[in-house]
Amino acid sequence: MRIAENWKEYKILDTSSGEKLENWGGRVLVRPDPQIIWKSPRRSDMWQRADGIYHRSDKGGGQWEFRKKLPQSWQISYGPLKFNIRPTGFKHTGLFPEQAVNWDLMGDMIRKAGREISVLNLFAYTGGATLACAQAGAKVAHVDASKGMVQWARENAQASGLSDKPIRWLVDDCEKFVKREIRREKRYDAIVMDPPSYGRGPGGEVWKLEDCIYDLVQTCAGVLSDKPLFFLLNSYTTGLSPSVMAYILKDVLCGRFAGSVTADEIGLPVEATGSVLPCGSTAIWQGGE
């Protein structure tokens, strides 16, 4: 497992009985997490002093209970990157801290490439990967279907001092955008993809990532340049293991570009126990430069 252990302003304080206790830049939140099936004793006294608790509803969704008034948003930093944190109605805060291991890896690959790198970030959310790649010197196309998320990402870029970097902010359906880029013969040296577990097609039909991921990777391979640097595929889908994602990337990319594939879980350290909370999976194809 690759562990995001370089955070200074975020930490998981404790975990128990389906919940995690987190410190987000001095604000302590309790949020549900389906991975936490253990019922160990709650070791931190901050459980009783949390600023906000997200309660799930039996009917789906849920709501926040705030024990003290919190600002509408506040910032936390990861190195030079700054992120606006906002508790949303879907338990999220606008940031997945475990992704820092991937930000570090991508930034390192871009800096060592010795050439200008163009990155396509699909399902780009609030821009963690976009900012990390731009900070490392890449040109980035940031694509997400949610106008609100793209605006949030732009605010994060401004807070990080990256507004003047070559970032294209695009509100679009990711698959349709890629197909148009193929027709336009636009090419990218790297792709970052973090698709949702579930989605809806243009006719309202429901699709599952497990059923669509192979075709999606194949389509995206069509916009890779002649000398691509990396293809990073991230997933929080329980039924999509790191090994399965690695197989897909190897099958689609290695025959055409050679290179190699690695895959693993990513996670975050838990202060109270010294253990690591698994937080998803990542597979990475890297070119053979």
Side-chain angles (χ1 to χ4, degrees), residues 220-275:
C220 291
V223 294
L224 285 171
S225 66
D226 293 335
K227 292 178 62 179
L229 184 63
F230 65 82
F231 192 127
L232 188 147
L233 175 60
N234 194 75
S235 174
Y236 293 92
T237 303
T238 306
L240 202 57
S241 71
S243 298
V244 168
M245 294 196 298
Y247 195 104
I248 291 170
L249 290 186
K250 185 174 182 180
D251 189 67
V252 173
L253 300 173
C254 287
R256 177 179 170 188
F257 298 109
S260 61
V261 177
T262 57
D264 211 338
E265 287 186 292
I266 57 175
L268 288 159
V270 179
E271 184 177 70
T273 62
S275 298

Side-chain angles (χ1 to χ4, degrees), residues 50-262:
D51 300 312
I53 304 171
Y54 188 86
H55 299 287
R56 276 209 178 280
S57 167
D58 293 337
K59 300 177 181 179
Q63 63 181 3
W64 285 95
E65 172 198 351
F66 293 110
R67 293 173 171 174
K68 66 182 256 189
K69 186 174 177 61
L70 294 179
Q72 184 176 2
S73 68
W74 65 94
Q75 290 183 357
I76 67 171
S77 300
Y78 185 77
L81 307 180
K82 295 185 183 300
F83 300 96
N84 293 287
I85 303 303
R86 298 174 197 148
T88 71
F90 297 97
K91 87 171 182 178
H92 298 302
T93 62
L95 188 67
F96 291 87
E98 62 276 7
Q99 288 299 322
V101 293
N102 289 329
W103 305 339
D104 292 342
L105 177 63
M106 289 185 289
D108 189 53
M109 286 190 286
I110 290 166
R111 291 185 185 94
K112 290 179 178 177
R115 57 188 171 99
E116 184 178 76
I117 298 297
S118 59
V119 177
L120 176 60
N121 186 11
L122 299 171
F123 310 97
Y125 196 48
T126 59
T130 293
L131 303 192
C133 292
Q135 179 70 38
K139 295 164 53 179
V140 186
H142 174 109
V143 188
D144 197 281
S146 168
K147 183 178 180 180
M149 290 301 138
V150 173
Q151 179 58 34
W152 196 335
R154 294 186 75 141
E155 293 168 5
N156 287 339
Q158 183 176 16
S160 301
L162 298 173
S163 294
D164 62 342
K165 297 294 183 181
I167 304 171
R168 297 166 62 204
W169 304 103
L170 301 151
V171 180
D172 207 337
D173 177 274
C174 290
E175 186 172 9
K176 290 179 180 178
F177 174 81
V178 169
K179 289 178 178 178
R180 288 199 304 273
E181 293 288 82
I182 291 172
R183 292 195 295 270
R184 289 188 284 245
E185 298 186 352
K186 176 71 175 177
R187 297 294 179 261
Y188 297 88
D189 302 304
I191 294 175
V192 186
M193 189 194 304
D194 194 351
S197 297
Y198 299 92
R200 290 189 178 273
E205 65 275 14
V206 177
W207 59 267
K208 287 196 213 178
L209 181 59
E210 301 99 304
D211 299 333
C212 304
I213 187 61
Y214 185 84
D215 292 339
L216 189 57
V217 170
Q218 272 199 319
T219 299
C220 291
V223 294
L224 285 171
S225 66
D226 293 335
K227 292 178 62 179
L229 184 63
F230 65 82
F231 192 127
L232 188 147
L233 175 60
N234 194 75
S235 174
Y236 293 92
T237 303
T238 306
L240 202 57
S241 71
S243 298
V244 168
M245 294 196 298
Y247 195 104
I248 291 170
L249 290 186
K250 185 174 182 180
D251 189 67
V252 173
L253 300 173
C254 287
R256 177 179 170 188
F257 298 109
S260 61
V261 177
T262 57

